[in-house]
Amino acid sequence: MKRILTLALSMICLSVMAQKTDTLFLKKLMESKPELFTAVLNHPGKNQIQILYSQVNRDAKNIPTFKTFSYNLDPHHYFYPASTVKLAAVIFALEKVNLLKSKGLTAKSTMITDSSFKGQTKVLTDTSAKNRLPSIEHYIKKILLTSDNDAFNRLFEFIGRAEINEKLKANGLNDSRILNRLAIGDAGESAKHSNPIKFYNGDKLVYDQPAQYDPKEYELKLTNLVMGKGYLDSADKLVNKPFNLAGKNAFAVNDQQKLMQKLIFPEAFPTNERFNLTTEDYKLNYTYMSKYPTESDDPEAFWTTYAKMLYYGREQVTPDSNIRIFNKYGDSYGYIIDNSYFIDFKNGIEYFLAAVIQSNEDGIFNDNKYDYDTVCFPFMKNLGKSIYEVELNRKKMHQPDLSKFKLDYSY
């Protein structure tokens, strides 16, 4: 018995060691390309870079496992996650719809949002939808295709702040919280109140959700919450005090990539850890995460590669037809964040890459004077291209079957 226990403990230790994150590879990779990375490597604290790269290795049955590499990863070092939180809201909203299916609710049901607290707004129509009516499905399409802020806010209200944060913890995303709506100055008491919502199938009311209140604060142990030397207030007046981001959303890089891995490869996780999503839910996510704005009916003036920062930066180019990038990016307060799963169908390449970088040379926040074009976007592009080169030359025991990601973008 003692021998069996010892053997079991040894196997556990070997498993843990095998899964240990490599913290040197990415540093050496960037140091090997000084013409691309010296400027940011010389100021890792200033630019607040964090990177998480996971190789995907398939077995003979096409089941994936991950080998992970990190640079400067610190789940307690705060960065503003901006729109990257929207992917969690998309998943959790679909899970809630599936729980309420017995009532007749679907993602296509008309969603009428009312108001019941100061500052809340109503939504009765959606002119961007073909039927001019709001729905969970259409909000998801707008979030994944053009990162629409109002669409996220409506899903935030539907799920409810308490349930969002419960789901983060239930999924092992312990270094994150989602507290606020986006782009409307949502904070304090207003963020704790969610609008009443009614859902209809035609003229039939199928679900009536009352206004919700969540008193919890969701404290996290975070550093770097106070930044810079000043900021512009709501009246565009300069305040000569550091900018305080306490009480805002937090979405650690490791949690972002774990969420993406569970979405892309549910089969790699135990059944009880998978999202409660249908085949159609996964298809909706995959399609609109990887779809280009120019492939939609309403491109909203976004160019093709607008959102694919971890390979194209912000270049306006024609994308490689063999490549698809499934991602959710964010940009705000000088931060650029991208969380992606990358595929090259021709060369059998696939990998996960998530990264954050900030550049705010003048130390002033809310002035819209950030160094995105000169620092952040070039870094994202160079990092993505460098990882792609690694993957292009990496030997694999089994070539992946990527057929489930060959999607119809015509609808």
Side-chain angles (χ1 to χ4, degrees), residues 364-380:
I364 305 298
F365 286 81
N366 275 346
D367 63 352
N368 291 319
K369 295 178 181 178
Y370 303 116
D371 309 286
Y372 292 141
D373 292 332
T374 57
V375 177
C376 299
F377 293 137
F379 169 79
M380 287 293 194

Side-chain angles (χ1 to χ4, degrees), residues 44-247:
K46 177 182 176 183
N47 294 122
Q48 302 185 48
I49 297 168
Q50 295 189 51
I51 307 170
L52 198 56
Y53 158 51
S54 289
Q55 295 175 347
V56 181
N57 297 300
R58 307 276 192 149
D59 66 13
K61 295 182 179 179
N62 205 46
I63 302 298
T65 56
F66 314 123
K67 183 177 180 181
T68 303
F69 306 83
S70 70
Y71 173 77
N72 212 30
L73 188 69
D74 183 354
H76 304 295
H77 183 92
Y78 183 75
F79 63 89
Y80 185 67
S83 293
T84 56
V85 300
K86 295 172 183 175
L87 183 58
V90 165
I91 295 167
F92 299 160
L94 286 170
E95 287 192 309
K96 185 167 182 176
V97 167
N98 290 333
L99 285 175
L100 294 169
K101 276 186 176 178
S102 62
K103 298 182 182 294
L105 181 65
T106 74
K108 297 179 186 294
S109 297
T110 299
M111 178 179 174
I112 302 300
T113 302
D114 207 338
S115 60
S116 63
F117 190 78
K118 182 180 179 181
Q120 291 182 353
T121 55
K122 301 179 181 181
V123 180
L124 306 178
T125 61
D126 187 340
T127 56
S128 66
K130 287 183 179 179
N131 65 357
R132 302 179 68 85
L133 293 172
S135 68
I136 296 290
E137 182 180 87
H138 193 64
Y139 283 144
I140 286 171
K141 290 177 180 180
K142 293 202 292 184
I143 285 171
L144 297 180
L145 193 62
T146 61
S147 201
D148 188 272
N149 287 321
D150 182 70
F152 164 77
N153 294 344
R154 302 310 170 182
L155 295 193
F156 176 93
E157 292 156 1
F158 166 59
I159 307 163
R161 196 171 89 150
E163 186 171 329
I164 288 174
N165 288 284
E166 287 169 7
K167 282 184 172 291
L168 288 172
K169 294 297 179 285
N171 284 285
L173 309 177
N174 297 312
D175 298 310
S176 302
R177 66 188 182 198
I178 300 177
L179 305 179
N180 318 109
R181 300 169 182 85
L182 298 178
I184 60 170
D186 192 35
E189 278 299 300
S190 67
K192 297 178 180 181
H193 288 264
S194 297
N195 307 42
I197 306 168
K198 287 182 170 66
F199 288 89
Y200 295 86
N201 291 339
D203 295 328
K204 181 183 178 183
L205 176 67
V206 293
Y207 182 61
D208 186 350
Q209 178 170 289
Q212 302 177 69
Y213 177 71
D214 176 31
K216 296 181 182 178
E217 298 295 341
Y218 305 100
E219 297 290 343
L220 293 173
K221 292 182 179 179
L222 298 170
T223 61
N224 196 49
L225 288 169
V226 179
M227 308 178 194
K229 62 184 181 183
Y231 61 92
L232 297 188
D233 63 16
S234 57
D236 286 335
K237 291 184 179 180
L238 179 62
V239 179
N240 289 304
K241 292 181 180 179
F243 190 51
N244 193 328
L245 284 91

Side-chain angles (χ1 to χ4, degrees), residues 22-38 41 51 53 55 69-71 353 379 382-391 393:
D22 182 313
T23 59
L24 297 176
F25 175 80
L26 289 170
K27 183 174 185 290
K28 290 179 179 178
L29 176 66
M30 291 188 288
E31 287 175 344
S32 72
K33 300 185 176 189
E35 72 283 6
L36 300 180
F37 296 108
T38 293
L41 288 175
I51 307 170
Y53 158 51
Q55 295 175 347
F69 306 83
S70 70
Y71 173 77
L353 183 60
F379 169 79
N382 293 334
L383 176 64
K385 296 278 187 179
S386 297
I387 296 297
Y388 176 75
E389 289 175 11
V390 169
E391 288 285 337
N393 294 297

Side-chain angles (χ1 to χ4, degrees), residues 304-358:
T304 306
T305 54
Y306 173 84
K308 310 304 179 184
M309 299 176 186
L310 273 171
Y311 190 73
Y312 296 108
R314 268 293 167 87
E315 290 186 341
Q316 299 187 38
V317 297
T318 301
D320 187 322
S321 60
N322 296 304
I323 288 174
R324 282 287 170 175
I325 303 172
F326 301 70
N327 74 309
K328 188 69 203 77
Y329 76 92
D331 59 328
S332 190
Y333 297 138
Y335 287 103
I336 295 294
I337 317 104
D338 203 356
N339 177 27
S340 67
Y341 167 64
F342 185 103
I343 286 179
D344 178 340
F345 291 104
K346 179 181 178 182
N347 293 296
I349 289 173
E350 59 175 340
Y351 58 87
F352 292 91
L353 183 60
V356 57
I357 181 172
Q358 193 212 37

